[in-house]
Amino acid sequence: MNIKIDASWKKQLQTEFEKPYFEELTQFVNKEYSSYKCFPEANQIFEAFNLCKFNDVKVVIIGQDPYHGDGQAHGLCFSVNEGVANPPSLINIFKEIDADLNIPFPKNGNLERWAKQGVLLLNATLTVRAHEAGSHQKKGWEQFTDAVIATISAQKKNVVFLLWGGYAKKKGAKIDTSKHTILTCGHPSPLSANRGYWFGNKHFSKTNTCLVEKGLKEINW
């Protein structure tokens, strides 16, 4: 696995790359990509970090797995490549943004524009085998992304963490709330959203309010 990651993150995470678990993870990912079709493309595994440098992180959204359908995943949680139909969770995200901020649906579901404004779109697991959800879980990625969250919590301040659903809430359980803001709600998936756990959370306006209060530029969602 080619660790194509921005220098700002490499400096912060170098010790993780040197640990035995990461070497085992690298061997696993290399074997999977050489033996099966996997997502995202190998050169986009660390795309979330390359589009949102460490010093620029203002907001963190935590997802679980990359999309496993053809052409969807490109290294950012909840985001899909241009020209690909928006998955149900992403549709519900856009519906909430529309209701919250009166921002109409965008032309596509590519969220690179968020990443470039300081939103780290972090999946807990950064790779997946095609059409096999969860196939790369518990191979080391979770330990690595726990370290990413811990590093942000320890080394930065005034970051807004958006924890949607039970998995994300557990993932962010150790974030230092004396330095950072945590907003929680249900997952935007239809199962959760249709039960009333997603719509009306106003996380996008609340995030911008938090950022402005800290003297930071708000996100153009």
Side-chain angles (χ1 to χ4, degrees), residues 66-88 90-91 94 108-113 121:
Y67 296 122
H68 54 84
D70 291 330
Q72 292 180 302
H74 63 123
L76 311 177
C77 74
F78 293 106
S79 179
V80 291
N81 281 303
E82 293 181 28
V84 176
N86 293 337
L90 186 56
I91 291 173
F94 289 151
N108 60 72
N110 188 322
L111 303 181
E112 288 183 6
R113 61 188 182 279
L121 295 159

Side-chain angles (χ1 to χ4, degrees), residues 70-126:
D70 291 330
Q72 292 180 302
H74 63 123
L76 311 177
C77 74
F78 293 106
S79 179
V80 291
N81 281 303
E82 293 181 28
V84 176
N86 293 337
S89 292
L90 186 56
I91 291 173
N92 286 338
I93 288 171
F94 289 151
K95 284 181 178 178
E96 178 59 26
I97 291 172
D98 186 10
D100 185 13
L101 293 168
N102 198 30
I103 296 174
F105 267 59
K107 293 179 180 179
N108 60 72
N110 188 322
L111 303 181
E112 288 183 6
R113 61 188 182 279
W114 293 5
K116 292 174 181 177
Q117 296 178 76
V119 181
L120 181 66
L121 295 159
L122 180 68
N123 272 318
T125 303
L126 299 189

